[in-house]
């Protein structure tokens, strides 16, 4: 039988933490990538895949896309009418070529869609190019 007396100290001691300090949370924050799980960009031009111009199956639009990439490498297209679908023919490399330099950061995809006009409020609208085309005469 082993007898433990009060004068024995434990071999290890837990580090003292302040209230609200979670060591597991600190470790998670330190090891997470500095990349969001979903990134997106806008793409005003038509997108052509294997010689065919992409067209929104809901409204028939052929340009002004929101291109969305997620962590597994899937690419989604979203139209101004807010219709969104997975486009299996577009790869992560295609998405990376479209995204360019980092731009505005949004707290969620919904906020980004609303800010860029891909939430349905501008359905059927083409911006910039149509404005200039109407002024040419």
């Amino acid at each position: 039988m082993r007898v433990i007396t009060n004068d024995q100290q434990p071999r290890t001691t837990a580090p003292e933490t302040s209230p609200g300090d979670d060591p597991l949370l600190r470790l998670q924050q330190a090891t997470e990538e500095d990349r969001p799980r979903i990134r997106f960009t806008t793409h005003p031009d038509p997108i052509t895949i294997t010689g065919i111009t992409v067209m929104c199956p809901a409204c028939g639009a052929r340009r002004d896309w929101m291109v969305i990439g997620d962590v597994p490498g899937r690419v989604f297209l979203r139209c101004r009418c807010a219709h969104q679908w997975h486009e299996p023919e577009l790869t992560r490399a295609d998405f990376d070529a479209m995204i360019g330099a980092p731009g505005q950061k949004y707290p969620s995809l919904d906020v980004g869609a609303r800010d860029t006009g891909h939430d349905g409020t501008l359905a059927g609208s083409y911006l910039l190019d149509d404005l200039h085309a109407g002024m040419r005469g």
Side-chain angles (χ1 to χ4, degrees):
M1 174 196 273
R2 183 172 179 207
V3 177
I4 299 177
T5 61
N6 288 341
D7 60 338
Q8 290 180 334
Q9 296 294 324
R11 288 185 182 193
T12 60
T13 57
E16 291 189 30
T17 59
S18 60
D21 183 28
D22 183 358
L24 186 57
L25 183 59
R26 279 188 289 127
L27 177 64
Q28 181 182 5
Q29 290 171 345
T31 58
E32 280 185 349
E33 291 184 32
D34 192 24
R35 291 172 49 149
R37 297 191 60 77
I38 296 176
R39 299 184 306 155
F40 71 89
T41 189
T42 55
H43 189 79
D45 299 323
I47 296 175
T48 304
I49 302 172
T50 62
I52 301 170
T53 301
V54 174
M55 185 171 76
C56 175
C59 73
R62 294 173 188 242
R63 62 184 178 97
D64 275 342
W65 304 108
M66 173 184 267
V67 184
I68 305 161
D70 66 6
V71 168
R74 297 175 301 189
V75 177
F76 296 82
L77 295 179
R78 184 174 185 141
C79 180
R80 288 204 182 276
C81 75
H83 182 70
Q84 179 176 314
W85 70 95
H86 174 235
E87 185 53 67
E89 295 294 323
L90 292 176
T91 65
R92 174 71 181 261
D94 297 325
F95 176 76
D96 288 341
M98 285 185 222
I99 198 152
Q104 173 72 35
K105 289 187 177 184
Y106 295 97
S108 71
L109 183 60
D110 292 334
V111 172
R114 186 176 58 239
D115 192 50
T116 61
H118 289 87
D119 63 344
T121 57
L122 296 176
S125 300
Y126 287 120
L127 303 178
L128 297 178
D129 290 341
D130 280 351
L131 292 174
H132 298 297
M135 294 180 178
R136 290 185 193 146

